[in-house]
């Protein structure tokens, strides 16, 4: 079986939300398993998933209402609320790594990831999705870095102090709204200087090109797909893919049906082969070193055939069936991510 290192999941968000309802802030259901989870440790073991970027995403405050709220609420969120939520999600990851050291490791470098994998620990790379938790003057960035943060998406699909973000729309160009603010430009410079990976998923086109112009890192979109197959605002145009390729960057294919299906429907009745179509298209622009996985587990609606991490071997089998060679499959499944982490944050 082929080992998986994945570019994006929202398991910490799920665990944090569960804690809001049941009072358990330890995240221990990640270890024991949860029938409602797309990603937990038992499912990861079954699917040969050994690590990934673990996102800390702050949803709109109404998400903690008993009625559930709307996860796709695009209203701006307050800094203090986002900072507290992010600290709580970071705390869950730290609790897991501290209390289950044989199973979980927070990784700061590519060497850490390789060590975790050989020790059969889940390798967690800490990522902030939407930087509302970072002060606009960046005064708390060092503290997050010192705690283990190694990747930031400056904006989710809503405006913040750093950028405008790409609202969800279908069909739609990603060319919606303004790009980086002055604070956003300062954040990119600080991430370059500190070697924090910058994630372009959820940037609109203006923000994407602003980062392409000023960042010294390869351009990375951890969980985005091909706009020419599924013309959702969240997906990448061929021009964007070519810019990523030119920078030596990487795209992780997103398993959310709404970003995969050519009709943009959130209909889970979708064959895994649609993911292969996106992979083929991404490969044609980015080459074998520029394509990886970015599941979005616990953050989006997946196809029935791939709706938990336990089903990852089905995707590997689909790649084999499509004629992808062993070397290419290894690159897509984990090697390209580990190489990118080596190049950007280690
Ligand atoms: Zn996302």
């Amino acid at each position: 079986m082929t080992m998986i290192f994945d570019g994006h999941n929202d398991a910490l968000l799920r665990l944090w939300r569960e804690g809001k309802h049941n009072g358990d802030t330890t995240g221990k259901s990640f270890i024991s398993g949860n029938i409602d989870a797309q990603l937990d440790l038992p499912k990861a073991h079954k699917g040969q998933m050994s690590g990934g970027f673990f996102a800390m995403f702050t949803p709109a405050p109404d998400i903690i209402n008993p009625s559930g709220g709307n996860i796709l609420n695009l209203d701006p969120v307050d800094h203090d609320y986002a900072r507290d939520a992010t600290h709580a999600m970071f705390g869950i990851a730290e609790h897991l790594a501290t209390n289950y050291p044989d199973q979980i490791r927070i990784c700061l470098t590519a060497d850490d990831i390789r060590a975790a994998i050989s020790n059969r620990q889940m390798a967690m790379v800490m990522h902030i999705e939407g930087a509302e938790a970072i002060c606009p003057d960046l005064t708390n960035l060092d503290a997050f870095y010192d705690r283990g943060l190694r990747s930031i998406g400056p904006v989710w699909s809503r405006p913040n102090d750093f950028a405008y973000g790409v609202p969800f729309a279908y069909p739609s160009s990603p060319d919606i709204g303004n790009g980086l603010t002055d604070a956003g430009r300062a954040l990119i410079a600080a991430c370059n200087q500190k070697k924090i990976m910058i994630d372009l998923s959820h940037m609109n086109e203006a923000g994407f090109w602003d980062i392409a112009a000023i960042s010294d890192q390869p351009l990375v979109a951890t969980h985005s797909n091909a706009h020419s197959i599924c013309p959702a605002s969240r997906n990448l145009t061929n021009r964007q893919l070519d810019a990523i390729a030119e920078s030596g960057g990487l795209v992780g294919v997103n398993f959310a049906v709404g970003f995969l299906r050519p009709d943009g429907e959130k209909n889970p009745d979708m064959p895994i082969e649609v993911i292969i179509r996106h992979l083929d298209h991404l490969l044609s622009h980015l080459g074998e070193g520029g394509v990886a996985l970015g599941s979005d587990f616990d953050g989006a609606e997946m196809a029935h055939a791939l709706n938990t991490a336990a089903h990852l071997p089905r995707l590997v089998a689909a790649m084999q069936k499509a004629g992808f060679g062993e070397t290419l499959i290894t690159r897509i499944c984990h090697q390209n991510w580990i190489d990118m982490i080596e190049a950007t944050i280690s």
Side-chain angles (χ1 to χ4, degrees), residues 271-284:
I272 285 183
E273 284 65 32
V274 179
I275 300 180
I276 303 296
R277 277 186 66 194
H278 281 268
L279 286 172
D280 272 330
H281 186 85
L282 296 173
L283 285 164
S284 73

Side-chain angles (χ1 to χ4, degrees), residues 300-318:
E301 185 140 17
M302 308 279 150
H304 290 311
L306 189 59
N307 65 2
T308 81
H311 295 147
L312 283 163
R314 294 180 182 170
L315 177 60
V316 176

Side-chain angles (χ1 to χ4, degrees), residues 194-223:
K194 294 193 78 66
K195 298 192 114 188
I196 296 173
M197 196 183 86
I198 298 158
D199 178 14
L200 293 153
S201 291
H202 294 279
M203 300 303 300
N204 63 19
E205 257 209 271
F208 177 98
W209 296 116
D210 284 347
I211 292 175
I214 63 174
S215 177
D216 65 14
Q217 292 177 8
L219 302 176
V220 171
T222 60
H223 59 305

Side-chain angles (χ1 to χ4, degrees), residues 321-339:
K321 195 172 151 213
F324 291 20
E326 272 317 299
T327 307
L328 176 58
I329 291 174
T330 300
R331 285 180 134 194
I332 292 172
C333 287
H334 62 265
Q335 195 57 50
N336 285 341
W337 266 131
I338 295 173
D339 290 348

Side-chain angles (χ1 to χ4, degrees), residues 22-23 26 104 138 150 188 192 206 312 333-334 344:
N22 66 17
T26 68
I104 306 284
L138 310 182
R150 288 296 180 274
I188 300 305
N192 281 177
L312 283 163
C333 287
H334 62 265
T344 54

